[in-house]
Amino acid sequence: MPLLTLVGWTLASWPIYINTDTHIPLFIFISFLLPSQQALTMAKSLESEHPIKACGYAAHDTSGTFSPVTFSRRVTGEKDVRFKVLYCGVCHSDLHYAKNEWGVTTYPVIPGHEIVGVVTEVGSKVSKFKVGDKVGVGCLVGSCRSCESCVSDCEQFCSKQILTYGVPNFDGTQAYGGYSDHMVSDEHFVLRWPENLPLDAGAPLLCAGITTYSPLRYFGLDKPGTKVGVVGLGGLGHVAVKMAKAFGAEVTVFSTTAAKKQEAIEGLKADHFVISKDEEQMKAATGTLDGIIDTVSGSHPIVPLLSALKPNGKLVLLGAPEKPLEVGAFSVIFGRKTVAGSAIGGVKETQEMLDFAAEHGITADVEVIPVDYLNTAMERLLKSDVRYRFVIDVANSLKAE
């Protein structure tokens, strides 16, 4: 893990691993500022000064066990939107963070970056929302708003981005996520929720939806008739199939599991299914695809996938395998092929994605749970025992202690 120590702060970068069977958000090699011990002490002091009481579920140590907690949030600022949390998706990165598997967690941590709710208060200078509006908040709640990335609507690449949980806010206090009764965020990072998009099954789109929609758009795989491959049929993969089909693509699913063929073809309406361990099936797929969205986070060979691309084809990585990938130069030279990566999207593109999903009836396949089932859900998540996302019914199950 590369570390660069600055005065009072540590700048850290680490990979976010994507488990294709349990979903992931989001970011691949995100960098942001982590506080020194002095800053942490200040943050804790500031946190205790917040006047608005809140309740949620937090992990307190590396066991990753969640329990009820009371905490506080800031008052509603002039550009802030406060909302009651109705549903919050459970992302696999929440589990990693709860167990401090990336070595950066500050406890207690309240995860959740797939948050949907109803507005209860707005600041005096808020212009886009009013009390009663349905809204969402995804993986970001802050950025500098002035760098090249921000002004080009790519806040996800801002070096001063504020993630929805687990990092300091600009005022030094800790950011807490959607496993809680309410949220407050600058209106710039609040998303308008389409009327015809279900709140529960739509919540994971704030992570899995934008993570798959963005590369399809950016790499030109959103044209009718485009031949798109999706590697891995899990939390990201099943949404990628739905997005690509909605764009009018001809979709081929690659999986090591033959048992997923029925789900891919009959359930998700993919056009083709290839068992990636079957040499004959992979040979038959040679040179057939314009692009491939690879959602797998485990180590896997990508040269056979490159062979499935047409000339000028693109292999886009959303997963982040722990070990470096091996790519022979001739695999990309002959055919002028591209190996690329993608994270989430900016606020503008995420809103565009939600509107697109509502128009085309795209939701995640979810299992709705009460908040007190969270520890059991995390155990099942470890075993990939979910199809394909857990979503917490916060409003009907989280009660103040």
Side-chain angles (χ1 to χ4, degrees), residues 204-284:
L205 298 180
L206 294 164
C207 176
I210 187 57
T211 301
T212 54
Y213 177 91
S214 184
L216 287 168
R217 291 278 288 160
Y218 182 82
F219 292 101
L221 303 176
D222 57 344
K223 308 298 187 294
T226 301
K227 299 182 187 303
V228 175
V230 175
V231 184
L233 193 61
L236 280 180
H238 89 287
V239 175
V241 172
K242 292 182 180 185
M243 290 288 183
K245 289 294 295 181
F247 280 125
E250 181 178 324
V251 178
T252 298
V253 171
F254 293 83
S255 177
T256 59
T257 308
K260 290 189 174 182
K261 181 175 182 178
Q262 182 176 2
E263 171 67 11
I265 300 297
E266 297 180 14
L268 298 173
K269 309 303 180 184
D271 300 283
H272 313 284
F273 184 88
V274 174
I275 299 174
S276 55
K277 295 186 295 186
D278 188 311
E279 292 184 6
E280 288 301 314
Q281 291 190 30
M282 290 299 293
K283 184 178 180 180

Side-chain angles (χ1 to χ4, degrees), residues 15-20 23-29 207-219 221 229-232 235-241 243 292-298 300 302 305 315-321 325 339-345:
I16 299 294
Y17 300 108
I18 297 176
N19 184 318
T20 186
H23 333 305
I24 79 149
L26 247 334
F27 307 105
I28 300 173
F29 290 103
C207 176
I210 187 57
T211 301
T212 54
Y213 177 91
S214 184
L216 287 168
R217 291 278 288 160
Y218 182 82
F219 292 101
L221 303 176
V230 175
V231 184
L236 280 180
H238 89 287
V239 175
V241 172
M243 290 288 183
I292 297 175
I293 303 297
D294 187 346
T295 70
V296 176
S297 62
H300 61 290
I302 65 169
L305 297 174
L315 172 62
V316 186
L317 306 176
L318 305 186
L325 298 170
V339 178
S342 185
I344 56 168

Side-chain angles (χ1 to χ4, degrees), residues 321-368:
E322 189 172 0
K323 296 180 180 179
L325 298 170
E326 294 184 5
V327 181
F330 289 117
S331 298
V332 293
I333 289 174
F334 291 116
R336 195 164 56 192
K337 299 173 183 179
T338 301
V339 178
S342 185
I344 56 168
V347 176
K348 180 180 179 180
E349 188 176 41
T350 304
Q351 184 67 66
E352 177 186 289
M353 177 277 301
L354 289 175
D355 294 338
F356 179 84
E359 179 183 354
H360 294 276
I362 298 172
T363 58
D365 294 355
V366 303
E367 180 178 337
V368 179

Side-chain angles (χ1 to χ4, degrees), residues 100-113:
N100 195 26
E101 292 179 351
W102 298 322
V104 297
T105 303
T106 299
Y107 294 106
V109 59
I110 301 175
H113 57 211

